[in-house]
Amino acid sequence: MDLRITGTVKQVLEEQSGESKKGPWRKQEFILQTEGKYPKDVCILQWGDNIEQFAVQEGERLTAHVDVQSREFKGRWYTDVKAWRIEREGAAPDGAQGQPEPAGPSANFPEEPTDTTDYDDDLPF
């Protein structure tokens, strides 16, 4: 599932870090104000090396590709909106620099035959 949220970065919050059983961790959240008649503020989480890779700045317009994940802890539910890709207006998607676009037909849709002279079907048209 590819969820996208487009808007303007309203605020970049302080980076947080700590130590868990799996080792050190880092996260940083930013507030993205959506567009439209009734704009909403969405708190989006960046994790680990994505903090430097995305380099989100206040005031910039971007599209965040996110995963939504909920977890239960001591009877309460917590939900994270985690960014896994950031696209800036007029720029190539982060992580896509230097990667060529796939050429040719899509793997999901085979190429249609160009020569239909030997192609016989039972369709009435």
Side-chain angles (χ1 to χ4, degrees):
M1 173 171 33
D2 183 17
L3 299 174
R4 300 175 193 189
I5 304 173
T6 300
T8 303
V9 178
K10 187 174 178 180
Q11 182 180 7
V12 178
L13 303 177
E14 290 293 319
E15 182 178 320
Q16 299 174 11
S17 61
E19 191 79 28
S20 71
K21 293 178 186 177
K22 297 178 183 178
W25 57 266
R26 300 171 42 224
K27 71 177 185 176
Q28 184 176 39
E29 296 168 315
F30 64 92
I31 310 303
L32 189 67
Q33 186 174 58
T34 63
E35 301 168 338
K37 187 174 181 179
Y38 302 105
K40 305 287 185 214
D41 290 345
V42 180
C43 183
I44 299 177
L45 175 67
Q46 307 174 89
W47 196 263
D49 293 337
N50 286 343
I51 297 169
E52 286 83 25
Q53 180 183 355
F54 297 160
V56 173
Q57 302 292 318
E58 288 184 22
E60 70 180 330
R61 185 175 185 279
L62 54 82
T63 298
H65 294 253
V66 299
D67 287 327
V68 179
Q69 178 182 354
S70 296
R71 67 194 178 289
E72 184 267 339
F73 180 71
K74 295 185 179 182
R76 295 201 52 171
W77 282 89
Y78 299 89
T79 301
D80 288 328
V81 179
K82 292 183 179 181
W84 56 271
R85 185 169 80 191
I86 297 290
E87 292 179 2
R88 290 176 169 82
E89 196 171 275
D94 283 356
Q97 291 109 356
Q99 295 178 2
E101 289 292 319
S106 168
N108 296 334
F109 300 102
E111 190 172 327
E112 299 226 3
T114 54
D115 181 15
T116 59
T117 55
D118 293 339
Y119 188 73
D120 186 28
D121 63 20
D122 57 351
L123 294 175
F125 49 88

